[in-house]
Amino acid sequence: MLIFSIESSHDDTSFAICKNKSVLWMKTISQIEVHKKYGGTVPEIASRLHSKNIAILIEEIKTEIDFNKIDLIAYTKEPGLIGSLHIGYIVANTISILFNKPIIGLNHLEGHFYSAFIDKEVMYPALGLIASGGHTQLVLYKSKNDYQLIGETQDDAIGEAYDKVARKLKIGFPGGPIIDEYWKKFHKIYLKNYSIPETNKKYDFSLSGLKTNIINLINNDENRKRKVDTEKYATEFQNTIIKYLYKKMKIAIEEFHPNCIVLSGGVSANYGIRNMFLKLHKNVFLPDLKYTTDNAGMIGRLAYEKERDE
């Protein structure tokens, strides 16, 4: 099955050509350098840049493939920024009409889950943690069409908490990669962690309290004219995240007995969290780093899984 896929849910514009489980070609244009100035994504700017970037990708892909040979067109339908999603849909639908090809709209978060299975088969039942700047979800897939959300964030997503702590520490945006670099350098020096968050439902997540605690500690240092120990705060914050996710996953693995576990989404690029995951289960699936951020390859892989013959 030859699939043309589009991802445009947030601030990355991405096209891919996929054959079954594999990505043959992919190109992504990121807006991150633009949004850094604002400390986060500005939806109106994202939509305008998608319009510009998608035109660039259309010119590029015309040299890569004959659309008459495509079997399926896939695009991200939800969730995401409305304006950004709409631009991807317009392009996908136009190509579908022009070349008389079937089209399928897919879920962005499901795409992240299947990003770990590009070039691989899924070992159902699979337990997956999808963690990004906007989402934190724990999902159990018994099969491609039988899955349930067993836990989700009640406030800040993991990536969002990283961004807010990094902003308070004045170390840049996005916060995840920057804090992870501090953790790599200092985690053997700063061994402590903050209190592990609690939620009413055992598989839900809550990061707001942890984030607020660190921000308050930094405020206290600033008010008392003390030096803010950036290395310590950043490292102990990630120590806490790693311990928190380990605890949640360990309980879920013991209850659901999955054949494999998955870490996906932007947070899956985090060195410390990736290494922790590898210790949780004998079958651990992690996306290649190029598939951790939003990308059309994961949408193509999801489309194949949904449309393939049983």
Side-chain angles (χ1 to χ4, degrees):
M1 184 187 301
L2 200 59
I3 303 164
F4 168 60
S5 54
I6 299 174
E7 157 60 31
S8 66
S9 64
H10 192 226
D11 61 352
D12 288 326
T13 315
S14 186
F15 282 5
I17 302 166
C18 301
K19 185 174 183 180
N20 299 338
K21 301 187 299 290
S22 301
V23 177
L24 303 181
W25 178 91
M26 186 176 82
K27 181 70 178 288
T28 302
I29 302 178
S30 174
Q31 303 176 12
I32 190 67
E33 292 303 319
V34 175
H35 296 290
K36 270 184 180 180
K37 296 182 292 185
Y38 306 100
T41 305
V42 181
E44 289 185 10
I45 294 175
S47 296
R48 287 202 299 270
L49 290 175
H50 274 300
S51 297
K52 173 186 173 184
N53 293 336
I54 214 160
I56 295 170
L57 292 181
I58 288 170
E59 290 304 312
E60 287 202 29
I61 201 163
K62 286 194 298 187
T63 66
E64 297 293 332
I65 196 165
D66 177 359
F67 279 104
N68 289 298
K69 297 179 180 179
I70 291 288
D71 297 306
L72 178 68
I73 296 168
Y75 70 96
T76 301
K77 180 177 66 172
E78 61 186 4
L81 303 175
I82 298 300
S84 299
L85 288 168
H86 192 59
I87 290 165
Y89 163 74
I90 289 171
V91 172
N93 196 49
T94 300
I95 294 173
S96 171
I97 293 169
L98 284 173
F99 294 93
N100 193 28
K101 298 295 180 179
I103 185 171
I104 183 173
L106 296 168
N107 185 283
H108 172 79
L109 296 175
E110 275 202 89
H112 272 304
F113 177 84
Y114 282 99
S115 69
F117 297 102
I118 292 172
D119 294 323
K120 305 178 185 77
E121 285 290 346
V122 187
M123 299 174 64
Y124 297 110
L127 178 69
L129 176 64
I130 304 168
S132 66
H135 305 278
T136 304
Q137 294 187 343
L138 193 59
V139 293
L140 179 67
Y141 275 79
K142 295 179 182 177
S143 70
K144 67 178 182 179
N145 293 318
D146 182 5
Y147 58 93
Q148 64 184 110
L149 177 66
I150 61 174
E152 61 185 335
T153 184
Q154 298 302 293
D155 38 63
D156 291 353
I158 294 174
E160 182 183 3
Y162 268 92
D163 288 341
K164 290 178 178 177
V165 170
R167 186 182 302 131
K168 187 61 184 176
L169 288 171
K170 301 180 178 67
I171 55 177
F173 174 86
I178 300 169
I179 290 176
D180 193 32
E181 286 300 317
Y182 277 107
W183 186 88
K184 288 180 192 176
K185 294 177 183 176
F186 299 107
H187 72 277
K188 293 182 179 179
I189 299 172
Y190 301 112
L191 304 176
K192 294 182 180 180
N193 58 269
Y194 298 99
S195 297
I196 301 299
E198 298 289 340
T199 51
N200 291 329
K201 295 180 180 179
K202 62 182 175 180
Y203 296 125
D204 280 345
F205 300 85
S206 175
L207 277 301
S208 180
L210 170 62
K211 170 207 68 183
T212 301
N213 182 29
I214 295 172
I215 289 174
N216 287 339
L217 290 171
I218 296 168
N219 284 336
N220 287 340
D221 289 342
E222 292 173 342
N223 291 336
R224 294 172 185 177
K225 310 299 182 185
R226 292 194 301 237
K227 179 181 180 294
V228 174
D229 193 337
T230 301
E231 293 87 356
K232 182 174 184 292
Y233 281 124
T235 303
E236 292 183 354
F237 169 71
Q238 180 149 311
N239 286 345
T240 310
I241 295 292
I242 291 172
K243 190 170 183 179
Y244 184 41
L245 297 181
Y246 180 89
K247 179 181 177 182
K248 291 281 187 182
M249 290 298 301
K250 196 73 175 174
I251 295 170
I253 290 167
E254 290 172 357
E255 178 172 347
F256 297 109
H257 305 290
N259 281 333
C260 73
I261 63 170
V262 176
L263 172 65
S264 62
V267 174
S268 68
N270 184 288
Y271 176 84
I273 296 174
R274 284 174 81 93
N275 281 324
M276 175 273 288
F277 247 74
L278 292 171
K279 300 171 185 175
L280 279 167
H281 196 278
K282 64 179 181 178
N283 297 316
V284 179
F285 287 84
L286 304 169
D288 290 345
L289 290 176
K290 62 185 174 183
Y291 300 126
T292 55
T293 54
D294 296 347
N295 66 89
M298 70 186 193
I299 301 303
R301 177 62 182 90
L302 172 59
Y304 173 67
E305 192 75 13
K306 293 293 187 183
E307 295 297 305
R308 68 194 294 188
D309 295 331
E310 293 290 350

